Amino acid sequence: MSVAAISLVRSVNTGKMIAANLAFRQAAALAADAGTEAAIRWLEPQVSTAALYADQADQGYYASVPQGLDISGLPTQGARVAIDWEGDQCAGSAASTCVSAAPALAADPAGNVIRYTVHRLCRDAGSPYSGSNSCLMADGGSGASAKRGQLSYGASSRFGKTAGTYYRITVRVRGPRNTTVFTQVLVHY
């Protein structure tokens, strides 16, 4: 009977630990939204300028996506480029190149530390409209005119006629009990 009681106590404790870990993970995933919003707020005013044609490493922005990028920063076989999430120059990473993330946002009330990087989805830095550069671009719409009585979303003034470049925002949240969550969002302008 004592063995059954010990087994029951251990089972309840394990269930509580699993529930707590899930709660920490969910809180960290929700906190990632703050990182995405901060990246969008940083990105939006610069989209219509040439400032995004070059890397801004101190802000965690890169005008191209390097081949062999490892977003985890862990020792990964075959990774050539790692993101420095901890500010330790990618210590322990097998990558040959270490790139910076944006400065950490203020920790939220739950103790989550949020950092992000933004990669323009282009092969090279420089103008996305250059013939030598290859970028993932959003279709700007057909520009067809609307006929009388017909609803045509492609002709709406809300949708621009020029193609927009895609940007990938990667957010890492580090929380209590070493909870780590990564999220990625694609945006285009």
Side-chain angles (χ1 to χ4, degrees):
M1 189 141 40
S2 63
V3 171
I6 292 171
S7 172
L8 180 62
V9 167
R10 284 185 161 225
S11 174
V12 169
N13 284 341
T14 301
K16 285 178 14 182
M17 285 190 338
I18 290 171
N21 288 342
L22 287 173
F24 283 128
R25 185 173 187 278
Q26 185 175 20
L30 291 172
D33 284 346
T36 301
E37 290 172 11
I40 289 171
R41 278 192 309 272
W42 179 85
L43 192 61
E44 277 183 338
Q46 300 184 66
V47 167
S48 60
T49 69
L52 297 180
Y53 291 2
D55 293 348
Q56 297 181 37
D58 59 330
Q59 296 299 315
Y61 172 78
Y62 299 92
S64 63
V65 179
Q67 289 189 6
L69 176 65
D70 172 30
I71 66 163
S72 72
L74 299 173
T76 305
Q77 291 284 338
R80 289 187 255 164
V81 180
I83 300 172
D84 185 13
W85 296 112
E86 298 293 335
D88 60 0
Q89 304 305 318
C90 300
S93 174
S96 58
T97 305
C98 183
V99 297
S100 300
L105 303 178
D108 69 3
N112 293 307
V113 177
I114 305 162
R115 295 186 79 181
Y116 65 85
T117 63
V118 179
H119 287 92
R120 185 177 67 161
L121 298 184
C122 291
R123 181 167 291 138
D124 300 310
S127 173
Y129 306 107
S130 167
S132 63
N133 202 353
S134 176
C135 296
L136 184 60
M137 306 285 274
D139 185 14
S142 65
S145 60
K147 294 181 182 174
R148 186 176 172 155
Q150 177 184 1
L151 179 62
S152 176
Y153 290 105
S156 172
S157 62
R158 180 174 172 213
F159 299 101
K161 292 181 174 66
T162 59
T165 308
Y166 277 97
Y167 299 87
R168 182 178 62 204
I169 300 170
T170 303
V171 179
R172 189 196 87 159
V173 178
R174 186 69 173 256
R177 292 190 187 177
N178 289 326
T179 303
T180 304
V181 171
F182 290 93
T183 62
Q184 290 187 317
V185 175
L186 289 179
V187 296
H188 73 86
Y189 296 94

Short mmCIF file of all heavy atoms in Angstrom, two decimals, residues 80-137:
data_model
loop_
_atom_site.label_atom_id
_atom_site.label_comp_id
_atom_site.label_asym_id
_atom_site.label_seq_id
_atom_site.Cartn_x
_atom_site.Cartn_y
_atom_site.Cartn_z
N ARG A 80 26.62 27.23 -41.21
CA ARG A 80 27.73 28.14 -41.51
C ARG A 80 27.56 29.48 -40.82
O ARG A 80 28.52 30.17 -40.55
CB ARG A 80 27.83 28.35 -43.01
CG ARG A 80 28.34 27.12 -43.73
CD ARG A 80 28.59 27.41 -45.17
NE ARG A 80 27.51 26.80 -45.92
CZ ARG A 80 27.22 27.07 -47.16
NH1 ARG A 80 27.91 27.98 -47.82
NH2 ARG A 80 26.25 26.47 -47.78
N VAL A 81 26.30 29.85 -40.55
CA VAL A 81 26.01 31.14 -39.94
C VAL A 81 25.07 30.91 -38.77
O VAL A 81 24.06 30.22 -38.91
CB VAL A 81 25.36 32.11 -40.95
CG1 VAL A 81 25.06 33.45 -40.31
CG2 VAL A 81 26.25 32.30 -42.17
N ALA A 82 25.39 31.48 -37.62
CA ALA A 82 24.54 31.37 -36.43
C ALA A 82 24.16 32.77 -35.94
O ALA A 82 24.89 33.73 -36.17
CB ALA A 82 25.25 30.60 -35.32
N ILE A 83 23.04 32.85 -35.26
CA ILE A 83 22.59 34.12 -34.69
C ILE A 83 23.04 34.18 -33.24
O ILE A 83 22.85 33.22 -32.48
CB ILE A 83 21.07 34.26 -34.81
CG1 ILE A 83 20.65 34.22 -36.28
CG2 ILE A 83 20.60 35.55 -34.14
CD1 ILE A 83 19.16 34.17 -36.51
N ASP A 84 23.62 35.28 -32.85
CA ASP A 84 24.14 35.47 -31.49
C ASP A 84 23.01 35.95 -30.57
O ASP A 84 22.89 37.13 -30.29
CB ASP A 84 25.28 36.48 -31.52
CG ASP A 84 25.96 36.63 -30.17
OD1 ASP A 84 25.72 35.79 -29.28
OD2 ASP A 84 26.72 37.59 -30.01
N TRP A 85 22.20 35.03 -30.11
CA TRP A 85 21.06 35.39 -29.25
C TRP A 85 21.50 35.78 -27.85
O TRP A 85 20.86 36.58 -27.20
CB TRP A 85 20.08 34.22 -29.16
CG TRP A 85 19.43 33.85 -30.44
CD1 TRP A 85 19.62 32.69 -31.14
CD2 TRP A 85 18.47 34.60 -31.19
NE1 TRP A 85 18.86 32.69 -32.27
CE2 TRP A 85 18.14 33.85 -32.33
CE3 TRP A 85 17.88 35.85 -31.02
CZ2 TRP A 85 17.23 34.29 -33.28
CZ3 TRP A 85 16.98 36.28 -31.96
CH2 TRP A 85 16.65 35.51 -33.08
N GLU A 86 22.59 35.21 -27.36
CA GLU A 86 23.02 35.42 -25.98
C GLU A 86 24.03 36.56 -25.81
O GLU A 86 24.38 36.90 -24.69
CB GLU A 86 23.64 34.13 -25.42
CG GLU A 86 22.68 32.96 -25.37
CD GLU A 86 21.56 33.17 -24.37
OE1 GLU A 86 21.73 33.93 -23.40
OE2 GLU A 86 20.49 32.56 -24.55
N GLY A 87 24.54 37.11 -26.90
CA GLY A 87 25.56 38.15 -26.80
C GLY A 87 26.91 37.61 -26.40
O GLY A 87 27.73 38.32 -25.83
N ASP A 88 27.16 36.32 -26.71
CA ASP A 88 28.43 35.69 -26.35
C ASP A 88 29.26 35.30 -27.57
O ASP A 88 30.08 34.39 -27.50
CB ASP A 88 28.18 34.47 -25.47
CG ASP A 88 27.32 33.41 -26.16
OD1 ASP A 88 26.93 33.61 -27.34
OD2 ASP A 88 27.03 32.38 -25.52
N GLN A 89 29.02 35.99 -28.70
CA GLN A 89 29.73 35.72 -29.96
C GLN A 89 29.56 34.27 -30.42
O GLN A 89 30.48 33.66 -30.94
CB GLN A 89 31.22 36.05 -29.82
CG GLN A 89 31.51 37.47 -29.38
CD GLN A 89 30.85 38.52 -30.28
OE1 GLN A 89 30.87 38.39 -31.48
NE2 GLN A 89 30.26 39.53 -29.69
N CYS A 90 28.36 33.73 -30.19
CA CYS A 90 27.99 32.38 -30.64
C CYS A 90 28.87 31.30 -30.02
O CYS A 90 29.22 30.30 -30.67
CB CYS A 90 27.99 32.27 -32.16
SG CYS A 90 26.84 33.40 -32.97
N ALA A 91 29.26 31.48 -28.76
CA ALA A 91 30.08 30.49 -28.07
C ALA A 91 29.36 29.14 -28.09
O ALA A 91 28.18 29.05 -27.81
CB ALA A 91 30.35 30.92 -26.64
N GLY A 92 30.09 28.11 -28.44
CA GLY A 92 29.54 26.77 -28.47
C GLY A 92 28.88 26.41 -29.79
O GLY A 92 28.50 25.27 -30.00
N SER A 93 28.76 27.35 -30.70
CA SER A 93 28.16 27.07 -32.00
C SER A 93 29.23 26.55 -32.95
O SER A 93 30.38 26.97 -32.89
CB SER A 93 27.53 28.34 -32.59
OG SER A 93 27.08 28.09 -33.90
N ALA A 94 28.84 25.65 -33.83
CA ALA A 94 29.76 25.11 -34.82
C ALA A 94 29.87 26.01 -36.04
O ALA A 94 30.66 25.74 -36.93
CB ALA A 94 29.30 23.72 -35.23
N ALA A 95 29.08 27.08 -36.10
CA ALA A 95 29.06 27.95 -37.28
C ALA A 95 30.34 28.76 -37.39
O ALA A 95 30.94 29.14 -36.39
CB ALA A 95 27.87 28.89 -37.20
N SER A 96 30.74 29.03 -38.62
CA SER A 96 31.97 29.81 -38.84
C SER A 96 31.72 31.32 -38.78
O SER A 96 32.65 32.09 -38.60
CB SER A 96 32.57 29.44 -40.20
OG SER A 96 31.65 29.68 -41.23
N THR A 97 30.46 31.74 -38.95
CA THR A 97 30.11 33.16 -38.90
C THR A 97 29.04 33.38 -37.86
O THR A 97 28.08 32.61 -37.75
CB THR A 97 29.60 33.65 -40.28
OG1 THR A 97 30.58 33.35 -41.26
CG2 THR A 97 29.31 35.13 -40.26
N CYS A 98 29.17 34.45 -37.10
CA CYS A 98 28.21 34.79 -36.04
C CYS A 98 27.61 36.16 -36.37
O CYS A 98 28.34 37.11 -36.58
CB CYS A 98 28.92 34.83 -34.70
SG CYS A 98 27.86 35.16 -33.30
N VAL A 99 26.27 36.24 -36.44
CA VAL A 99 25.60 37.51 -36.73
C VAL A 99 24.78 37.93 -35.52
O VAL A 99 24.33 37.11 -34.74
CB VAL A 99 24.72 37.44 -38.00
CG1 VAL A 99 25.56 37.16 -39.23
CG2 VAL A 99 23.62 36.40 -37.85
N SER A 100 24.60 39.23 -35.37
CA SER A 100 23.93 39.79 -34.20
C SER A 100 22.42 39.76 -34.33
O SER A 100 21.88 39.85 -35.43
CB SER A 100 24.35 41.24 -33.99
OG SER A 100 25.73 41.32 -33.80
N ALA A 101 21.76 39.70 -33.20
CA ALA A 101 20.32 39.91 -33.12
C ALA A 101 20.10 41.34 -32.65
O ALA A 101 21.03 42.01 -32.21
CB ALA A 101 19.69 38.93 -32.13
N ALA A 102 18.87 41.82 -32.76
CA ALA A 102 18.55 43.15 -32.25
C ALA A 102 18.74 43.16 -30.74
O ALA A 102 18.69 42.11 -30.09
CB ALA A 102 17.11 43.50 -32.61
N PRO A 103 18.95 44.33 -30.17
CA PRO A 103 19.07 44.39 -28.70
C PRO A 103 17.81 43.82 -28.04
O PRO A 103 16.71 43.91 -28.60
CB PRO A 103 19.20 45.89 -28.42
CG PRO A 103 19.71 46.48 -29.69
CD PRO A 103 19.13 45.64 -30.79
N ALA A 104 17.98 43.23 -26.89
CA ALA A 104 16.86 42.61 -26.18
C ALA A 104 15.84 43.67 -25.77
O ALA A 104 16.20 44.77 -25.36
CB ALA A 104 17.34 41.86 -24.96
N LEU A 105 14.57 43.31 -25.90
CA LEU A 105 13.51 44.17 -25.39
C LEU A 105 13.50 44.06 -23.87
O LEU A 105 14.05 43.10 -23.31
CB LEU A 105 12.15 43.74 -25.94
CG LEU A 105 12.01 43.69 -27.47
CD1 LEU A 105 10.62 43.19 -27.85
CD2 LEU A 105 12.27 45.04 -28.09
N ALA A 106 12.86 44.97 -23.20
CA ALA A 106 12.75 44.87 -21.74
C ALA A 106 12.01 43.59 -21.39
O ALA A 106 11.03 43.23 -22.05
CB ALA A 106 11.99 46.08 -21.19
N ALA A 107 12.49 42.89 -20.37
CA ALA A 107 11.85 41.63 -19.97
C ALA A 107 10.40 41.90 -19.56
O ALA A 107 10.10 42.91 -18.93
CB ALA A 107 12.62 41.00 -18.81
N ASP A 108 9.52 40.99 -19.95
CA ASP A 108 8.12 41.15 -19.58
C ASP A 108 7.91 40.73 -18.12
O ASP A 108 8.84 40.22 -17.48
CB ASP A 108 7.21 40.40 -20.56
CG ASP A 108 7.33 38.89 -20.46
OD1 ASP A 108 8.06 38.38 -19.59
OD2 ASP A 108 6.66 38.21 -21.25
N PRO A 109 6.72 40.93 -17.56
CA PRO A 109 6.50 40.59 -16.15
C PRO A 109 6.76 39.12 -15.80
O PRO A 109 7.07 38.79 -14.66
CB PRO A 109 5.02 40.93 -15.92
CG PRO A 109 4.72 41.97 -16.95
CD PRO A 109 5.57 41.63 -18.14
N ALA A 110 6.65 38.24 -16.79
CA ALA A 110 6.90 36.81 -16.53
C ALA A 110 8.39 36.47 -16.58
O ALA A 110 8.78 35.34 -16.33
CB ALA A 110 6.13 35.97 -17.54
N GLY A 111 9.23 37.45 -16.93
CA GLY A 111 10.67 37.21 -16.99
C GLY A 111 11.16 36.74 -18.35
O GLY A 111 12.29 36.29 -18.48
N ASN A 112 10.35 36.87 -19.39
CA ASN A 112 10.75 36.47 -20.73
C ASN A 112 11.62 37.55 -21.36
O ASN A 112 11.27 38.72 -21.33
CB ASN A 112 9.52 36.24 -21.61
CG ASN A 112 8.72 35.05 -21.15
OD1 ASN A 112 9.25 33.96 -20.99
ND2 ASN A 112 7.43 35.25 -20.96
N VAL A 113 12.75 37.15 -21.93
CA VAL A 113 13.65 38.05 -22.64
C VAL A 113 13.44 37.82 -24.12
O VAL A 113 13.54 36.70 -24.61
CB VAL A 113 15.12 37.79 -22.25
CG1 VAL A 113 16.06 38.69 -23.04
CG2 VAL A 113 15.31 38.01 -20.75
N ILE A 114 13.17 38.90 -24.85
CA ILE A 114 12.76 38.81 -26.25
C ILE A 114 13.80 39.49 -27.14
O ILE A 114 14.18 40.63 -26.89
CB ILE A 114 11.39 39.48 -26.44
CG1 ILE A 114 10.36 38.87 -25.49
CG2 ILE A 114 10.93 39.39 -27.89
CD1 ILE A 114 9.13 39.71 -25.28
N ARG A 115 14.25 38.78 -28.19
CA ARG A 115 15.14 39.34 -29.20
C ARG A 115 14.65 38.91 -30.56
O ARG A 115 13.99 37.88 -30.68
CB ARG A 115 16.57 38.86 -28.98
CG ARG A 115 17.15 39.38 -27.66
CD ARG A 115 18.58 39.04 -27.49
NE ARG A 115 19.37 39.98 -28.29
CZ ARG A 115 20.70 39.91 -28.37
NH1 ARG A 115 21.35 38.98 -27.73
NH2 ARG A 115 21.36 40.79 -29.10
N TYR A 116 15.02 39.68 -31.58
CA TYR A 116 14.58 39.32 -32.93
C TYR A 116 15.66 39.64 -33.95
O TYR A 116 16.60 40.39 -33.68
CB TYR A 116 13.30 40.06 -33.30
CG TYR A 116 13.43 41.55 -33.41
CD1 TYR A 116 13.87 42.16 -34.59
CD2 TYR A 116 13.11 42.38 -32.34
CE1 TYR A 116 14.00 43.54 -34.68
CE2 TYR A 116 13.22 43.75 -32.42
CZ TYR A 116 13.68 44.32 -33.60
OH TYR A 116 13.81 45.68 -33.69
N THR A 117 15.51 39.05 -35.13
CA THR A 117 16.30 39.41 -36.31
C THR A 117 15.32 39.56 -37.47
O THR A 117 14.24 38.97 -37.47
CB THR A 117 17.35 38.36 -36.71
OG1 THR A 117 16.70 37.15 -37.05
CG2 THR A 117 18.35 38.11 -35.62
N VAL A 118 15.72 40.35 -38.45
CA VAL A 118 14.93 40.54 -39.66
C VAL A 118 15.84 40.25 -40.84
O VAL A 118 16.93 40.81 -40.94
CB VAL A 118 14.37 41.97 -39.78
CG1 VAL A 118 13.57 42.14 -41.06
CG2 VAL A 118 13.53 42.33 -38.56
N HIS A 119 15.40 39.35 -41.71
CA HIS A 119 16.13 39.06 -42.95
C HIS A 119 15.26 39.42 -44.13
O HIS A 119 14.11 38.96 -44.23
CB HIS A 119 16.49 37.57 -43.04
CG HIS A 119 17.58 37.16 -42.12
ND1 HIS A 119 17.34 36.68 -40.85
CD2 HIS A 119 18.92 37.18 -42.28
CE1 HIS A 119 18.50 36.41 -40.28
NE2 HIS A 119 19.47 36.70 -41.13
N ARG A 120 15.78 40.25 -45.01
CA ARG A 120 15.10 40.52 -46.27
C ARG A 120 15.33 39.28 -47.13
O ARG A 120 16.45 38.78 -47.22
CB ARG A 120 15.68 41.76 -46.94
CG ARG A 120 14.94 42.17 -48.20
CD ARG A 120 15.52 43.41 -48.77
NE ARG A 120 16.87 43.13 -49.27
CZ ARG A 120 17.51 43.89 -50.13
NH1 ARG A 120 16.96 44.99 -50.59
NH2 ARG A 120 18.72 43.58 -50.52
N LEU A 121 14.30 38.77 -47.74
CA LEU A 121 14.42 37.52 -48.48
C LEU A 121 14.97 37.77 -49.89
O LEU A 121 14.27 37.66 -50.90
CB LEU A 121 13.08 36.79 -48.51
CG LEU A 121 12.55 36.38 -47.14
CD1 LEU A 121 11.28 35.59 -47.26
CD2 LEU A 121 13.59 35.61 -46.35
N CYS A 122 16.25 38.12 -49.90
CA CYS A 122 16.99 38.37 -51.13
C CYS A 122 18.27 37.54 -51.10
O CYS A 122 18.79 37.22 -50.03
CB CYS A 122 17.38 39.85 -51.26
SG CYS A 122 15.98 40.95 -51.55
N ARG A 123 18.78 37.26 -52.29
CA ARG A 123 20.03 36.51 -52.37
C ARG A 123 21.21 37.40 -51.98
O ARG A 123 22.16 36.94 -51.36
CB ARG A 123 20.22 35.98 -53.79
CG ARG A 123 21.51 35.16 -53.93
CD ARG A 123 21.55 34.37 -55.21
NE ARG A 123 20.55 33.32 -55.14
CZ ARG A 123 19.74 32.99 -56.14
NH1 ARG A 123 19.82 33.60 -57.29
NH2 ARG A 123 18.87 32.02 -56.00
N ASP A 124 21.15 38.69 -52.36
CA ASP A 124 22.26 39.61 -52.10
C ASP A 124 21.75 40.92 -51.50
O ASP A 124 20.58 41.26 -51.65
CB ASP A 124 23.00 39.92 -53.41
CG ASP A 124 23.58 38.69 -54.06
OD1 ASP A 124 24.25 37.92 -53.36
OD2 ASP A 124 23.34 38.50 -55.27
N ALA A 125 22.65 41.67 -50.89
CA ALA A 125 22.32 43.03 -50.45
C ALA A 125 22.20 43.91 -51.68
O ALA A 125 22.58 43.52 -52.78
CB ALA A 125 23.41 43.55 -49.51
N GLY A 126 21.69 45.11 -51.51
CA GLY A 126 21.51 46.04 -52.62
C GLY A 126 20.04 46.14 -52.99
O GLY A 126 19.17 45.62 -52.29
N SER A 127 19.78 46.82 -54.07
CA SER A 127 18.40 47.05 -54.49
C SER A 127 17.71 45.75 -54.86
O SER A 127 18.28 44.93 -55.60
CB SER A 127 18.37 47.99 -55.71
OG SER A 127 17.05 48.07 -56.21
N PRO A 128 16.50 45.54 -54.36
CA PRO A 128 15.76 44.32 -54.74
C PRO A 128 15.31 44.36 -56.20
O PRO A 128 14.93 43.35 -56.76
CB PRO A 128 14.58 44.31 -53.79
CG PRO A 128 14.40 45.71 -53.36
CD PRO A 128 15.75 46.34 -53.41
N TYR A 129 15.37 45.53 -56.81
CA TYR A 129 14.91 45.69 -58.20
C TYR A 129 16.06 45.56 -59.19
O TYR A 129 15.85 45.67 -60.39
CB TYR A 129 14.21 47.03 -58.36
CG TYR A 129 13.10 47.19 -57.35
CD1 TYR A 129 13.24 48.05 -56.26
CD2 TYR A 129 11.93 46.46 -57.45
CE1 TYR A 129 12.24 48.17 -55.31
CE2 TYR A 129 10.92 46.57 -56.51
CZ TYR A 129 11.08 47.42 -55.45
OH TYR A 129 10.09 47.53 -54.51
N SER A 130 17.26 45.34 -58.70
CA SER A 130 18.43 45.17 -59.55
C SER A 130 18.31 43.84 -60.29
O SER A 130 17.88 42.84 -59.72
CB SER A 130 19.70 45.17 -58.70
OG SER A 130 20.80 44.73 -59.45
N GLY A 131 18.72 43.83 -61.54
CA GLY A 131 18.64 42.61 -62.34
C GLY A 131 19.54 41.51 -61.82
O GLY A 131 19.28 40.33 -62.03
N SER A 132 20.60 41.86 -61.11
CA SER A 132 21.52 40.85 -60.59
C SER A 132 21.09 40.29 -59.24
O SER A 132 21.67 39.32 -58.77
CB SER A 132 22.92 41.46 -60.47
OG SER A 132 22.91 42.52 -59.53
N ASN A 133 20.10 40.88 -58.61
CA ASN A 133 19.64 40.42 -57.31
C ASN A 133 18.39 39.58 -57.48
O ASN A 133 17.56 39.85 -58.34
CB ASN A 133 19.36 41.60 -56.39
CG ASN A 133 19.40 41.22 -54.92
OD1 ASN A 133 19.52 40.06 -54.57
ND2 ASN A 133 19.32 42.21 -54.06
N SER A 134 18.24 38.57 -56.67
CA SER A 134 17.07 37.71 -56.71
C SER A 134 16.37 37.81 -55.36
O SER A 134 16.92 37.40 -54.35
CB SER A 134 17.49 36.26 -56.99
OG SER A 134 16.37 35.42 -56.94
N CYS A 135 15.16 38.39 -55.36
CA CYS A 135 14.41 38.57 -54.12
C CYS A 135 13.04 37.93 -54.24
O CYS A 135 12.46 37.89 -55.33
CB CYS A 135 14.23 40.06 -53.82
SG CYS A 135 15.76 40.93 -53.50
N LEU A 136 12.52 37.49 -53.12
CA LEU A 136 11.15 37.01 -53.07
C LEU A 136 10.26 38.24 -52.97
O LEU A 136 10.36 39.01 -52.03
CB LEU A 136 10.94 36.10 -51.86
CG LEU A 136 9.58 35.44 -51.72
CD1 LEU A 136 9.28 34.56 -52.93
CD2 LEU A 136 9.54 34.61 -50.46
N MET A 137 9.42 38.43 -53.98
CA MET A 137 8.59 39.64 -54.06
C MET A 137 7.12 39.25 -54.06
O MET A 137 6.74 38.25 -54.65
CB MET A 137 8.91 40.42 -55.34
CG MET A 137 10.37 40.76 -55.53
SD MET A 137 10.93 42.07 -54.49
CE MET A 137 10.49 43.46 -55.47
#
